[in-house]
Structures are given as structure tokens and as C-alpha cells.
Amino acid sequence: FFEEALNQNPKCAEAYLGKLLAETKCVTFDDYKNALIEKYADANSEKLTVCDEGAELVNASVKDYVLEGYLYESTIKDVFAFDRSYDSSLSCRKSQKNKQLSEIENDKLLSRVRQYATGDTKKIVEDGLAEVSAILDRRISDAQKEDADAISEITGKYKTHLDDAYVKVNDLRVAADKKKYSVYESYAKEMTNARTANEYSIVRDKFLALKDYKNAAENAQKCQSEIDRIKAEERQKKERLARKAKRITLISISAVVAVIAVIIIIMKIVIPTNNYNKAISFKNNGQYSEAIAAFENLDGYKDSNEQIIICQTALKDIDYNAAVDLMNNGQYNEAISAFEAMDGYRDSQNQIEACQIALKDIDYITAVELMNNGQYDKAITAFYALDGYKDSDELIESIKASSGYISTLPVGTLFKYGSYKDLPLVWIILENNDGKIFAITNNVIEQREYNSSYTDCTWETCNLRMWLNNNFYDTAFTEEEQARIISTDVSAESGNSTQDKIYIMSVAEAEKYFTSDDDRIGRYNGSASLWWLRTPGRLVNTAAYVFTKGNIFTSGYSVNNKDCGVRPVMWISLES
């Protein structure tokens, strides 16, 4: 029937509509519209993962806290492990929209209906298709909100988890340090109690296993020295016994008795007395090392053991005083080495800390002088090396935020200025000349509508302009930062020009300052995002925008659409 009607009038929209409904087995166009809506009512979801913002913290913690044999890399990574995945239907929803709009566009019968329909028929068809498009947009919007909620929830939990994990890893490292120190102390006690070469050998191997921890290597060497000394004494003792046996064999018993008596007198009285007096002479002359060796050979004769302790203390006092002289002369590194070699004698540990503070003070003063002389890069490097000493971290941030530092940065450099939603705002320098810079945010700061209602508007009248120059401007910048932001004459391609502190790019500016589509891509929460331009679109109630692949759509996007992002631009004065 409808074919016959079309043979009579090839431009009969009602005949095309009737044929379309017949082929799709729908009674009315409303049924056909509902069938289109129902076709893609369900959507598949995919598993996505929130960006791992904690990777740098995890790697830094592994680097800082791994303690060989006591705290392992795998243990630290297990503490930081966290499931950051969530289910998203957004990609499917966007694909469904593109597919269904393409199906509608390529349906020949529907195209003929839209081409030739007039009056009520035209209104019914266009309103119905607009409703289908609106529902597809709403499904995308709902999916975006679900993603944003999931990302926000996971990000919050992950941030809390990172904080807790960092504290736990720190506690594990403290426990590991204590355990290692306890092991070291037990080895030191074993060394003190060792008497035989075998006992010293066991303790020596334990210290060697600790490698360069504290003075483990030095203690291992001391153990080896004791082993060598004991073995030498044993050899000497065997040799003396052998000689003595030989002499006894060669002389008569009476001679042996006489010799033994003489030997006893000599060994027990004469020789020890002479050797003791010689050792005392060494001590009185300040030859403490020779005196110690002489007293040790006396094997406990008279008060030789007490004299050994007195000489050892005198040697330590000499070393201590030499270390103090180095410190007083400003030779702090040499003083630290000298105090460390004393193994905690007197207040040597406190003196080490005093030298370390003095060294840091010198480095801190040098960094401040570099900063005051305008050598900002060298000053930042010097402050980083101080690892948070005094206010070095605050001075780093102060330098980076200073106009003097920013003025040295070339076009394309990223810098921080202001903060939004508890995060620093990162900007890209687009121009840097005549004491001022022109910059755009590195990423999309927020997704929001160009105008709150679907009406024809210009940059002068849109809600986005009001929001940027009031809510955003007041919350993102301190009074000092606001004072540097220049009020700019913003040209209009429709409507009147404006005076704005903060605004967004036009099509011409987006083409001028970004030389390729890749450079123009804006990202929001790690994913490519559309972002607004202030140039009006070719259709009413629309504004131009940059697509997720960086290409510019001058045809425009509905001004009340909320899935398009904002990348503010501004001029900043670098004058004092």
C-alpha cells in the first residue's frame, strides 16, 4: 500500500513513515521511538583501575626502608597493596550512543521521513528522535557520575590506606633497626666474653655478616687480632716447654733443681719486676701503646691489668681531645670520623650530632645565599640535599612560587600556582615576556556546563565566566597570588568584549598556542576529556570545544552539557 502511495508521490513523508513502521512492526511512531530507546537499555561494564598515585611513595618507601636480612621489599609492597579497580559502563554507553545515532542517520526510510515531513508529522518525528538522543546523553551522564563516585571513593580509601601503610612500614623499619641493633649488641657482648681463639673466630664471622653496620668491621678485625695473639702465645708456650724439656734431659737432677730454683726466681721475681718497671716507664713517658703491650706480657703480674685499663683510657682521652680540636677548627667531617672511631667513649655520640648539625648549618647558609643571589636552580638543589632541615622544604616551595624563579622558565614549562580541591594547580607557560606570563592549566580542573540553561548565550553572559571570576578565583588563590593576576581585555567573537582575571581560550588561541592535536589533549582524573572554548558554535545554544583526541569542534556542544571540562587561562605579572 505504501509502495503504491510512493509511486504516486515520491515525496510523501507519511508513506515513508508508514513503510518504516510496517517494516519495524510498530503501530505508531511512539512505539518506534520506544523500541529505539529499549534497544540499548542495558550496558556491559568493564573493569577499570584508578590511577596509582601511590607508586612513587611505594618505591620511595622500598628505597628508604628495606633493611637487608630484617625488612624485605616484598613485605613493604604487601603492606601498600590495595585493590583500586571498579566497574564502568561509560565506554559502552558512549559506544551505544555513537552506534544508535549512526543507525538513525543511515536509515534511508527515516531519512526520507525527516526530509519530506512537515507540520505535526515533522514535530512528532523530530521530538521523538530528540528524546532518544537526550536519553542516550543521560545514560552517559549517569555512567560518568557512577565512575566519578567510584573513583572518588576508591581514591579516598586509597589515600587513607597509603597513610596507614606508610606509618606501618615506618614502624616495621623501627622494629627491624632495633632487632639489628640488638643482634649487634649481643655480638659485642660475646666478643667481650670471648677467651679462646675459637670463641673469637665465631664472633668475628658474626661481625663480618653485618658488613658495614656501625663498627662491625672494626670489631671483626679486633677479633682477628685476638686470634693471632692467642695463637702466637700458644706457639711461644709450646716452644718454651720444648726447650725446657730438652735442658732437663741434658743436665743432672741436682743441676735441674738448682736451675729450676734460679729460673723460678728469675721468672717470678727478677724478670717480671724488670718488665713491670719498664712498662711503668713507658706509661710515665706517654708511650701508652708500648706500655699496654708490656703490661699484657706480664700476664696479671702485680696490678698490670689495672695499668692496662689506665693506659687504654689515656689513649682514648688523646683521641677524644684530637677529635674535639678538629671540631673546634671547623673540620667537621674529620671530627665525625674521629668520634665514630671511639665507639661511644664519653659524649662522642653527642659530639657527632653537633658536628652533623654544624655541617647542615653551613649547607643551609650556602643555600640561602644562593637563593638571595637569584641562583634559584642551585638553591633548590642545595635545599633538597638538606632533606627537610629547618625550613628548607618551605623555602623550596617559596622559590618555585616566586616571580623571580618563574620569570626564568621557558615556554612549555610546568609550574605550580594556587590550589583547587586541596591539590596544587599546575600550569603550562604559553608566553613569557615583558615581565608577565600567559598560562593554561596542565589538565582539566573540573567538568561543568558552559551555561546552566539551554539558551543562546555569549562568553559575556555565560555562567562559566561568572564562576571562574568569582567562586574559582576566590578559592584557588591567596590574596598575594590574586594581586599578581592581571585583568585582561578578552576579545569576543559574539557579544561584547570583557575584562576578566580568569577566562578560557578561543578557537584562534587554541590553534595558536597548541601546534598539534596531541598537545591540545586535556585530561581529567587521568582520562582524556572534552574542554570548552569561548568561541560560539555554529548552531544556536552551543559553544566550540576541544575533543578528547585534541581536535577542535567549531560546530559546538550544547551549552548546558556537563561532561565538557574547563581549562582556565590567565596572565600573571612577574613585577615586584
Side-chain angles (χ1 to χ4, degrees), residues 276-298:
Y276 178 85
N277 291 334
K278 186 177 180 181
I280 289 293
S281 178
F282 282 140
K283 187 191 81 168
N284 292 336
N285 292 331
Q287 297 173 274
Y288 298 110
S289 297
E290 293 83 348
I292 290 172
F295 282 125
E296 287 176 341
N297 288 332
L298 289 171

PDB file of all heavy atoms in Angstrom, residues 276-298:
ATOM      1  N   TYR A 276     107.967  -5.094  84.522  1.00  0.00           N
ATOM      2  CA  TYR A 276     106.941  -4.218  85.102  1.00  0.00           C
ATOM      3  C   TYR A 276     107.458  -2.780  85.172  1.00  0.00           C
ATOM      4  O   TYR A 276     106.745  -1.829  84.797  1.00  0.00           O
ATOM      5  CB  TYR A 276     106.551  -4.725  86.496  1.00  0.00           C
ATOM      6  CG  TYR A 276     105.522  -3.859  87.189  1.00  0.00           C
ATOM      7  CD1 TYR A 276     104.156  -4.041  86.950  1.00  0.00           C
ATOM      8  CD2 TYR A 276     105.916  -2.854  88.078  1.00  0.00           C
ATOM      9  CE1 TYR A 276     103.214  -3.245  87.576  1.00  0.00           C
ATOM     10  CE2 TYR A 276     104.990  -2.056  88.717  1.00  0.00           C
ATOM     11  CZ  TYR A 276     103.633  -2.248  88.466  1.00  0.00           C
ATOM     12  OH  TYR A 276     102.700  -1.451  89.084  1.00  0.00           O
ATOM     13  N   ASN A 277     108.725  -2.640  85.640  1.00  0.00           N
ATOM     14  CA  ASN A 277     109.307  -1.304  85.741  1.00  0.00           C
ATOM     15  C   ASN A 277     109.450  -0.653  84.366  1.00  0.00           C
ATOM     16  O   ASN A 277     109.263   0.562  84.197  1.00  0.00           O
ATOM     17  CB  ASN A 277     110.668  -1.370  86.437  1.00  0.00           C
ATOM     18  CG  ASN A 277     110.528  -1.739  87.907  1.00  0.00           C
ATOM     19  OD1 ASN A 277     109.491  -1.490  88.526  1.00  0.00           O
ATOM     20  ND2 ASN A 277     111.558  -2.350  88.468  1.00  0.00           N
ATOM     21  N   LYS A 278     109.780  -1.483  83.381  1.00  0.00           N
ATOM     22  CA  LYS A 278     109.891  -0.967  82.016  1.00  0.00           C
ATOM     23  C   LYS A 278     108.542  -0.489  81.494  1.00  0.00           C
ATOM     24  O   LYS A 278     108.434   0.562  80.853  1.00  0.00           O
ATOM     25  CB  LYS A 278     110.461  -2.066  81.111  1.00  0.00           C
ATOM     26  CG  LYS A 278     110.761  -1.590  79.695  1.00  0.00           C
ATOM     27  CD  LYS A 278     111.401  -2.724  78.885  1.00  0.00           C
ATOM     28  CE  LYS A 278     111.706  -2.252  77.470  1.00  0.00           C
ATOM     29  NZ  LYS A 278     112.313  -3.339  76.646  1.00  0.00           N
ATOM     30  N   ALA A 279     107.481  -1.264  81.783  1.00  0.00           N
ATOM     31  CA  ALA A 279     106.125  -0.895  81.361  1.00  0.00           C
ATOM     32  C   ALA A 279     105.697   0.402  82.031  1.00  0.00           C
ATOM     33  O   ALA A 279     105.083   1.275  81.392  1.00  0.00           O
ATOM     34  CB  ALA A 279     105.147  -2.022  81.691  1.00  0.00           C
ATOM     35  N   ILE A 280     106.030   0.534  83.348  1.00  0.00           N
ATOM     36  CA  ILE A 280     105.692   1.766  84.083  1.00  0.00           C
ATOM     37  C   ILE A 280     106.405   2.955  83.442  1.00  0.00           C
ATOM     38  O   ILE A 280     105.836   4.057  83.314  1.00  0.00           O
ATOM     39  CB  ILE A 280     106.083   1.640  85.568  1.00  0.00           C
ATOM     40  CG1 ILE A 280     105.147   0.646  86.295  1.00  0.00           C
ATOM     41  CG2 ILE A 280     106.043   2.999  86.253  1.00  0.00           C
ATOM     42  CD1 ILE A 280     103.712   1.125  86.422  1.00  0.00           C
ATOM     43  N   SER A 281     107.657   2.737  83.035  1.00  0.00           N
ATOM     44  CA  SER A 281     108.430   3.807  82.395  1.00  0.00           C
ATOM     45  C   SER A 281     107.767   4.239  81.093  1.00  0.00           C
ATOM     46  O   SER A 281     107.671   5.431  80.788  1.00  0.00           O
ATOM     47  CB  SER A 281     109.860   3.328  82.134  1.00  0.00           C
ATOM     48  OG  SER A 281     110.607   4.342  81.481  1.00  0.00           O
ATOM     49  N   PHE A 282     107.320   3.254  80.291  1.00  0.00           N
ATOM     50  CA  PHE A 282     106.579   3.575  79.055  1.00  0.00           C
ATOM     51  C   PHE A 282     105.363   4.447  79.369  1.00  0.00           C
ATOM     52  O   PHE A 282     105.092   5.446  78.706  1.00  0.00           O
ATOM     53  CB  PHE A 282     106.120   2.297  78.347  1.00  0.00           C
ATOM     54  CG  PHE A 282     107.205   1.603  77.567  1.00  0.00           C
ATOM     55  CD1 PHE A 282     107.299   0.206  77.570  1.00  0.00           C
ATOM     56  CD2 PHE A 282     108.119   2.325  76.812  1.00  0.00           C
ATOM     57  CE1 PHE A 282     108.282  -0.439  76.854  1.00  0.00           C
ATOM     58  CE2 PHE A 282     109.103   1.676  76.085  1.00  0.00           C
ATOM     59  CZ  PHE A 282     109.195   0.307  76.110  1.00  0.00           C
ATOM     60  N   LYS A 283     104.603   4.048  80.375  1.00  0.00           N
ATOM     61  CA  LYS A 283     103.377   4.776  80.734  1.00  0.00           C
ATOM     62  C   LYS A 283     103.695   6.193  81.159  1.00  0.00           C
ATOM     63  O   LYS A 283     103.030   7.160  80.706  1.00  0.00           O
ATOM     64  CB  LYS A 283     102.639   4.034  81.853  1.00  0.00           C
ATOM     65  CG  LYS A 283     101.259   4.651  82.165  1.00  0.00           C
ATOM     66  CD  LYS A 283     100.653   4.100  83.428  1.00  0.00           C
ATOM     67  CE  LYS A 283     101.263   4.811  84.635  1.00  0.00           C
ATOM     68  NZ  LYS A 283     100.530   4.538  85.884  1.00  0.00           N
ATOM     69  N   ASN A 284     104.729   6.346  82.026  1.00  0.00           N
ATOM     70  CA  ASN A 284     105.080   7.676  82.521  1.00  0.00           C
ATOM     71  C   ASN A 284     105.580   8.591  81.415  1.00  0.00           C
ATOM     72  O   ASN A 284     105.463   9.826  81.512  1.00  0.00           O
ATOM     73  CB  ASN A 284     106.131   7.569  83.624  1.00  0.00           C
ATOM     74  CG  ASN A 284     105.561   6.908  84.887  1.00  0.00           C
ATOM     75  OD1 ASN A 284     104.340   6.932  85.106  1.00  0.00           O
ATOM     76  ND2 ASN A 284     106.426   6.316  85.695  1.00  0.00           N
ATOM     77  N   ASN A 285     106.138   8.004  80.352  1.00  0.00           N
ATOM     78  CA  ASN A 285     106.640   8.783  79.215  1.00  0.00           C
ATOM     79  C   ASN A 285     105.558   9.027  78.154  1.00  0.00           C
ATOM     80  O   ASN A 285     105.851   9.573  77.081  1.00  0.00           O
ATOM     81  CB  ASN A 285     107.842   8.088  78.583  1.00  0.00           C
ATOM     82  CG  ASN A 285     109.056   8.096  79.496  1.00  0.00           C
ATOM     83  OD1 ASN A 285     109.228   9.014  80.317  1.00  0.00           O
ATOM     84  ND2 ASN A 285     109.900   7.082  79.377  1.00  0.00           N
ATOM     85  N   GLY A 286     104.335   8.587  78.420  1.00  0.00           N
ATOM     86  CA  GLY A 286     103.239   8.794  77.458  1.00  0.00           C
ATOM     87  C   GLY A 286     103.252   7.802  76.313  1.00  0.00           C
ATOM     88  O   GLY A 286     102.510   7.965  75.338  1.00  0.00           O
ATOM     89  N   GLN A 287     104.087   6.730  76.420  1.00  0.00           N
ATOM     90  CA  GLN A 287     104.124   5.690  75.377  1.00  0.00           C
ATOM     91  C   GLN A 287     103.109   4.592  75.756  1.00  0.00           C
ATOM     92  O   GLN A 287     103.464   3.477  76.137  1.00  0.00           O
ATOM     93  CB  GLN A 287     105.543   5.125  75.265  1.00  0.00           C
ATOM     94  CG  GLN A 287     106.582   6.155  74.837  1.00  0.00           C
ATOM     95  CD  GLN A 287     107.989   5.595  74.909  1.00  0.00           C
ATOM     96  OE1 GLN A 287     108.626   5.646  75.982  1.00  0.00           O
ATOM     97  NE2 GLN A 287     108.483   5.064  73.795  1.00  0.00           N
ATOM     98  N   TYR A 288     101.810   4.977  75.601  1.00  0.00           N
ATOM     99  CA  TYR A 288     100.758   4.123  76.147  1.00  0.00           C
ATOM    100  C   TYR A 288     100.602   2.807  75.390  1.00  0.00           C
ATOM    101  O   TYR A 288     100.325   1.758  76.013  1.00  0.00           O
ATOM    102  CB  TYR A 288      99.427   4.885  76.161  1.00  0.00           C
ATOM    103  CG  TYR A 288      99.473   6.116  77.029  1.00  0.00           C
ATOM    104  CD1 TYR A 288      99.442   7.396  76.479  1.00  0.00           C
ATOM    105  CD2 TYR A 288      99.585   6.004  78.415  1.00  0.00           C
ATOM    106  CE1 TYR A 288      99.502   8.536  77.267  1.00  0.00           C
ATOM    107  CE2 TYR A 288      99.646   7.141  79.227  1.00  0.00           C
ATOM    108  CZ  TYR A 288      99.609   8.397  78.644  1.00  0.00           C
ATOM    109  OH  TYR A 288      99.670   9.500  79.441  1.00  0.00           O
ATOM    110  N   SER A 289     100.758   2.818  74.076  1.00  0.00           N
ATOM    111  CA  SER A 289     100.622   1.570  73.308  1.00  0.00           C
ATOM    112  C   SER A 289     101.712   0.582  73.696  1.00  0.00           C
ATOM    113  O   SER A 289     101.444  -0.623  73.887  1.00  0.00           O
ATOM    114  CB  SER A 289     100.682   1.865  71.800  1.00  0.00           C
ATOM    115  OG  SER A 289      99.596   2.686  71.415  1.00  0.00           O
ATOM    116  N   GLU A 290     102.981   1.087  73.820  1.00  0.00           N
ATOM    117  CA  GLU A 290     104.076   0.197  74.223  1.00  0.00           C
ATOM    118  C   GLU A 290     103.846  -0.295  75.655  1.00  0.00           C
ATOM    119  O   GLU A 290     104.140  -1.464  75.988  1.00  0.00           O
ATOM    120  CB  GLU A 290     105.403   0.946  74.134  1.00  0.00           C
ATOM    121  CG  GLU A 290     105.842   1.327  72.723  1.00  0.00           C
ATOM    122  CD  GLU A 290     105.200   2.619  72.238  1.00  0.00           C
ATOM    123  OE1 GLU A 290     104.250   3.082  72.897  1.00  0.00           O
ATOM    124  OE2 GLU A 290     105.655   3.148  71.200  1.00  0.00           O
ATOM    125  N   ALA A 291     103.311   0.592  76.522  1.00  0.00           N
ATOM    126  CA  ALA A 291     103.065   0.207  77.906  1.00  0.00           C
ATOM    127  C   ALA A 291     102.008  -0.898  77.976  1.00  0.00           C
ATOM    128  O   ALA A 291     102.135  -1.864  78.741  1.00  0.00           O
ATOM    129  CB  ALA A 291     102.613   1.426  78.714  1.00  0.00           C
ATOM    130  N   ILE A 292     100.944  -0.759  77.166  1.00  0.00           N
ATOM    131  CA  ILE A 292      99.878  -1.781  77.159  1.00  0.00           C
ATOM    132  C   ILE A 292     100.449  -3.127  76.759  1.00  0.00           C
ATOM    133  O   ILE A 292     100.166  -4.167  77.391  1.00  0.00           O
ATOM    134  CB  ILE A 292      98.749  -1.347  76.211  1.00  0.00           C
ATOM    135  CG1 ILE A 292      97.993  -0.151  76.802  1.00  0.00           C
ATOM    136  CG2 ILE A 292      97.786  -2.516  75.951  1.00  0.00           C
ATOM    137  CD1 ILE A 292      96.985   0.475  75.859  1.00  0.00           C
ATOM    138  N   ALA A 293     101.252  -3.134  75.675  1.00  0.00           N
ATOM    139  CA  ALA A 293     101.844  -4.395  75.213  1.00  0.00           C
ATOM    140  C   ALA A 293     102.729  -5.007  76.304  1.00  0.00           C
ATOM    141  O   ALA A 293     102.701  -6.229  76.541  1.00  0.00           O
ATOM    142  CB  ALA A 293     102.641  -4.153  73.935  1.00  0.00           C
ATOM    143  N   ALA A 294     103.503  -4.159  77.009  1.00  0.00           N
ATOM    144  CA  ALA A 294     104.387  -4.660  78.064  1.00  0.00           C
ATOM    145  C   ALA A 294     103.578  -5.209  79.236  1.00  0.00           C
ATOM    146  O   ALA A 294     103.899  -6.281  79.788  1.00  0.00           O
ATOM    147  CB  ALA A 294     105.324  -3.545  78.526  1.00  0.00           C
ATOM    148  N   PHE A 295     102.533  -4.505  79.656  1.00  0.00           N
ATOM    149  CA  PHE A 295     101.696  -4.977  80.767  1.00  0.00           C
ATOM    150  C   PHE A 295     100.969  -6.272  80.410  1.00  0.00           C
ATOM    151  O   PHE A 295     100.789  -7.156  81.258  1.00  0.00           O
ATOM    152  CB  PHE A 295     100.684  -3.899  81.163  1.00  0.00           C
ATOM    153  CG  PHE A 295     101.273  -2.783  82.002  1.00  0.00           C
ATOM    154  CD1 PHE A 295     101.145  -1.452  81.614  1.00  0.00           C
ATOM    155  CD2 PHE A 295     101.961  -3.071  83.189  1.00  0.00           C
ATOM    156  CE1 PHE A 295     101.684  -0.432  82.384  1.00  0.00           C
ATOM    157  CE2 PHE A 295     102.495  -2.038  83.967  1.00  0.00           C
ATOM    158  CZ  PHE A 295     102.364  -0.715  83.559  1.00  0.00           C
ATOM    159  N   GLU A 296     100.514  -6.390  79.159  1.00  0.00           N
ATOM    160  CA  GLU A 296      99.822  -7.615  78.741  1.00  0.00           C
ATOM    161  C   GLU A 296     100.753  -8.823  78.817  1.00  0.00           C
ATOM    162  O   GLU A 296     100.323  -9.935  79.150  1.00  0.00           O
ATOM    163  CB  GLU A 296      99.270  -7.448  77.325  1.00  0.00           C
ATOM    164  CG  GLU A 296      98.040  -6.522  77.255  1.00  0.00           C
ATOM    165  CD  GLU A 296      97.571  -6.288  75.830  1.00  0.00           C
ATOM    166  OE1 GLU A 296      98.372  -6.529  74.898  1.00  0.00           O
ATOM    167  OE2 GLU A 296      96.408  -5.836  75.645  1.00  0.00           O
ATOM    168  N   ASN A 297     102.045  -8.628  78.506  1.00  0.00           N
ATOM    169  CA  ASN A 297     103.003  -9.741  78.567  1.00  0.00           C
ATOM    170  C   ASN A 297     103.283 -10.187  80.004  1.00  0.00           C
ATOM    171  O   ASN A 297     103.831 -11.269  80.220  1.00  0.00           O
ATOM    172  CB  ASN A 297     104.315  -9.333  77.889  1.00  0.00           C
ATOM    173  CG  ASN A 297     104.172  -9.261  76.379  1.00  0.00           C
ATOM    174  OD1 ASN A 297     103.335  -9.970  75.815  1.00  0.00           O
ATOM    175  ND2 ASN A 297     104.967  -8.417  75.733  1.00  0.00           N
ATOM    176  N   LEU A 298     102.954  -9.340  80.987  1.00  0.00           N
ATOM    177  CA  LEU A 298     103.187  -9.686  82.397  1.00  0.00           C
ATOM    178  C   LEU A 298     102.151 -10.669  82.921  1.00  0.00           C
ATOM    179  O   LEU A 298     102.278 -11.183  84.042  1.00  0.00           O
ATOM    180  CB  LEU A 298     103.187  -8.408  83.253  1.00  0.00           C
ATOM    181  CG  LEU A 298     104.413  -7.502  83.049  1.00  0.00           C
ATOM    182  CD1 LEU A 298     104.212  -6.180  83.762  1.00  0.00           C
ATOM    183  CD2 LEU A 298     105.666  -8.197  83.565  1.00  0.00           C
TER     184      LEU A 298
END
